[in-house]
Amino acid sequence: MNATISASALARELTAGNPPVLLDVRWQLSMAKATGEPPFDGRAAYRAGHLPGAVFVDLDGELASAPGERGRHPLPDLAEFGAAMRRAGVSSGTPVVVYDGGMGWGAARAWWLLRWTGHPDVRVLDGGLPSWKGPLETTEPSPAEGDFTPVPSATGLLDADGAAALARSGVLLDARAGERYRGEVEPIDRVGGHIPGAVSAPTTENVGPDGRFLPAGELRARFEELGVSEDAPVGVYCGSGVSGAHEVLALAVAGIPAALYVGSWSEWSSDPERPVAVGPDPQ
């Protein structure tokens, strides 16, 4: 099954039998505290115009628990997550397409959570809302209650110890910007740097200028250059498990399964006992 869908293909599916449920997950990393600017309001952006029939999903409130020791976007309570998905009309037998404002991070977080908890057919709109050429609407739909019940997989999820072990036994990719990986700047978390053994792999390099993923072959070649092979497991982390989900999605486009360390650097760096590496060298 494809992990992404083009806008043209989505337009065709929406007029065919068994159209997908649409989830709007517009979200941006908030730097409001540092800059004094108001935080991004995804719901306001949704109300200003969204794909016909799409339901807004709040990443901070429905795809994550409150920030704390487990990071800035820890896993949501699964009962609450399931209830939110059912309210949005998600059922196990109906395909789901998620999208955001174009960066792909918020949509990827929803995609990863739904896939990890057992939904069999979830795709991300490649390029997000900017790729959509059809009409938008401002009315909020009232979908029929879905029947999706999340059942987490035994694989695909890393904790801090698992991420540290994978950095030694496989390939652990750091999806953040290179300067944060190297520890040159750290605008959000307690300290800069990276998990020892992790390889810098900014997720922004997985897409073109239009925000769409590079072709599968190019993505596979990129990850192979970073040390990914069929012989070793792959894991990803980022700042708080959002852009890392986007890198897991890029790997899926390339045909490479990968696990996500949801707590990511925000959890890892909160414990002063955990080691921190700086500079361009993984170690």
Side-chain angles (χ1 to χ4, degrees), residues 40-88:
F40 174 77
D41 189 339
R43 188 176 292 277
Y46 165 82
R47 287 171 174 162
H50 53 82
L51 266 63
V55 176
F56 180 74
V57 174
D58 179 11
L59 187 150
D60 292 317
E62 296 175 322
L63 305 183
S65 297
E69 293 182 355
R70 295 185 297 132
R72 280 182 281 109
H73 289 104
L75 286 174
D77 176 89
L78 290 184
E80 294 179 5
F81 169 66
M85 292 299 97
R86 290 190 292 274
R87 286 195 302 272

Side-chain angles (χ1 to χ4, degrees), residues 176-188 191-193 265:
R176 298 173 300 158
E179 58 268 25
R180 291 184 69 190
Y181 169 88
R182 296 188 295 271
E184 297 166 357
V185 298
E186 182 43 64
I188 306 173
V191 64
W265 189 249

Side-chain angles (χ1 to χ4, degrees), residues 11 19 71 102 124 132 145 151 153 157 159 164 169 186 194 229 237 258 260:
V124 170
W132 179 255
E145 182 89 358
V151 179
S153 171
L157 177 67
D159 59 12
S169 64
E186 182 43 64
H194 58 270
S229 71
Y237 75 97
L260 178 65

